Amino acid sequence: MNRRRIFIYLLTVLVVLIFWNSYRSTTFELVTVQKISENEMTVINLSNRVRTITIPIDISKLVEENKEYTISYDKRIFDKHRLRTISP
């Protein structure tokens, strides 16, 4: 009985992880950086939609505010927007 519970628990965890990972969307757009800190940046796209995107490392010295960049970011269900790439 104990092995069966462990198996059901592990199977449930696996299904939840697969579900969470499958609902990922990647967006690619031209944005203007409004504000940048060491762990996130606020951007506005051409449709005037404001987003706060989590950045993996401190890029505040490399990216300038009020400049346009092309970015790609991921969004998963129950998670924040996360930066994948950025280029001038």
Side-chain angles (χ1 to χ4, degrees):
M1 186 68 174
N2 195 15
R3 284 185 173 193
R4 186 174 178 177
R5 271 191 184 167
I6 291 173
F7 177 74
I8 291 173
Y9 175 75
L10 288 175
L11 186 62
T12 305
V13 168
L14 181 64
V15 168
V16 168
L17 284 174
I18 289 171
F19 173 77
W20 178 75
N21 197 35
S22 68
Y23 283 97
R24 175 176 45 179
S25 65
T26 301
T27 305
F28 184 78
E29 61 188 358
L30 181 65
V31 298
T32 302
V33 176
Q34 287 186 322
K35 181 181 170 188
I36 187 156
S37 65
E38 64 181 59
N39 59 352
E40 64 185 20
M41 68 180 182
T42 304
V43 297
I44 186 167
N45 68 5
L46 297 177
S47 300
N48 289 327
R49 183 184 315 154
V50 177
R51 294 242 191 258
T52 301
I53 300 175
T54 304
I55 53 179
I57 58 173
D58 184 11
I59 59 171
S60 61
K61 305 237 188 297
L62 304 172
V63 175
E64 297 179 30
E65 293 180 358
N66 299 319
K67 289 232 174 173
E68 286 188 349
Y69 294 92
T70 304
I71 65 169
S72 171
Y73 58 90
D74 284 340
K75 172 71 171 109
R76 288 188 178 144
I77 193 167
F78 307 121
D79 198 8
K80 296 179 180 180
H81 296 87
R82 297 188 182 276
L83 183 69
R84 293 189 69 182
T85 62
I86 185 167
S87 60

